Amino acid sequence: MNAEEIVSRLLYRDALMLVIDKPAGLPVHPGPKGGETLFHHLDALRFGLPRRPEAAHRLDKDTSGCLILGRHPKAIARLNEMFKKGEIDKVYWAVVEGGPDADEGEIDLPLAPKSPDRGWWMKVDPKGQPSLTQWRVLGRSHTSPLRGEIAPQAREGVGNETSVSVVLPPHPGALTRSDPPPQGEDEKRFTLLELRPITGRTHQLRVHCQASGFPILGDPIYGTAPRFGGPGLHLHARSVTVPLYPKKSPILVEAPVPTHMRERVEACGAL
């Protein structure tokens, strides 16, 4: 990625804040293994200021979408404080395997590191930190790869609202669900979820979805995707709402659905 490409991904700009559409596969910060990161391209986003902007929050390497940057130290401190107080609303879109029977709900499961050697690897743990995710179904699809059929079932005026039952093992803190009808081996069901992380734990959305019985499509760590050659993580930071200026309306910024997610999102009737 060059300077022109990173500038082309700019979604919002003012004197305090930038919002960019981070591509999937690009880490935000340098890691022990080296390689290209967003950090190496931040000089292209100075736009005349003496300092490069800095990320005000985390976004996983394989997650695409809205990333907020503070343009100078005071702005970064202000944004960090807003995140700590939960004043910034973040909305993610995720295509999950299977899906919940209900149309909305929440997942309240505490999380803790799975291994002391790898602090980013998380698990559900009753002794872990409180973690809460709100979710809402945006659409459902029923695909049959052998026959190539796609039948979207979407909400909000797209398609109908017939619910789809799936196998979802019980888990403490997750929803109670009824048994599904028989399902052939050649059939797969996908659901497009809107996810709102009320807390901001590492890998929270990925672990919460997996623990509730509907892992995010393309997740090689917590889901069923292969380590290499999978469809890509279908998790996208769709929008952020930032009440940055007290006397002005909150700033709403949306990122377009990335190419690797469009087929499944369309199959769910949401585009």
Side-chain angles (χ1 to χ4, degrees):
M1 178 175 289
N2 56 37
E4 183 178 347
E5 290 172 331
I6 196 68
V7 171
S8 73
R9 304 190 73 89
L10 186 67
L11 299 172
Y12 176 85
R13 169 185 166 188
D14 68 17
L16 300 181
M17 178 179 77
L18 306 175
V19 182
I20 66 167
D21 180 11
K22 188 192 82 67
L26 181 68
V28 175
H29 301 290
K33 296 183 180 180
E36 182 186 19
T37 70
L38 177 65
F39 178 82
H40 296 109
H41 301 289
L42 291 178
D43 277 328
L45 299 175
R46 290 192 300 161
F47 298 113
L49 294 186
R51 297 171 59 102
R52 64 175 64 188
E54 295 183 19
H57 61 116
R58 299 188 307 269
L59 206 58
D60 290 347
K61 170 186 174 181
D62 294 322
T63 302
S64 59
C66 292
L67 179 70
I68 299 173
L69 307 172
R71 300 195 65 190
H72 51 73
K74 287 186 178 180
I76 295 166
R78 166 75 173 134
L79 290 166
N80 287 340
E81 186 68 16
M82 294 177 71
F83 272 109
K84 289 179 181 178
K85 292 181 177 179
E87 296 174 349
I88 296 176
D89 184 38
K90 296 183 292 181
V91 174
Y92 291 76
W93 280 14
V95 177
V96 300
E97 301 178 30
D101 288 343
D103 284 334
E104 60 183 15
E106 62 182 33
I107 304 169
D108 185 1
L109 296 171
L111 300 178
K114 190 171 184 178
S115 166
D117 299 326
R118 290 185 286 182
W120 55 265
W121 192 9
M122 306 298 287
K123 65 177 180 178
V124 174
D125 186 338
K127 298 180 180 179
Q129 292 181 305
S131 305
L132 179 64
T133 300
Q134 295 176 344
W135 58 265
R136 181 169 69 100
V137 172
L138 297 179
R140 305 178 192 267
S141 76
H142 180 193
T143 66
S144 180
L146 297 183
R147 294 190 295 272
E149 300 171 356
I150 298 179
Q153 297 170 321
R155 299 185 62 191
E156 298 185 349
V158 184
N160 58 53
E161 297 188 10
T162 305
S163 63
V164 179
S165 297
V166 294
V167 177
L168 295 171
H171 192 290
L175 300 175
T176 302
R177 305 170 179 88
S178 58
D179 292 333
Q183 179 177 324
E185 291 184 1
D186 65 331
E187 298 178 347
K188 279 194 175 183
R189 305 175 192 271
F190 297 94
T191 302
L192 176 64
L193 295 180
E194 175 188 273
L195 302 173
R196 274 186 161 85
I198 306 305
T199 53
R201 312 305 179 199
T202 300
H203 290 180
Q204 175 178 316
L205 301 180
R206 297 165 69 175
V207 180
H208 272 180
C209 286
Q210 183 275 333
S212 298
F214 39 89
I216 296 175
L217 179 65
D219 192 336
I221 299 174
Y222 304 102
T224 63
R227 191 72 178 91
F228 301 101
L233 183 67
H234 279 48
L235 179 62
H236 178 61
R238 174 63 170 172
S239 70
V240 289
T241 303
V242 189
L244 188 57
Y245 302 103
K247 296 182 179 181
K248 296 182 180 180
S249 299
I251 300 163
L252 171 63
V253 184
E254 289 189 343
V257 175
T259 302
H260 75 282
M261 286 180 58
R262 288 194 67 89
E263 181 180 357
R264 290 301 182 194
V265 171
E266 289 176 353
C268 292
L271 290 179

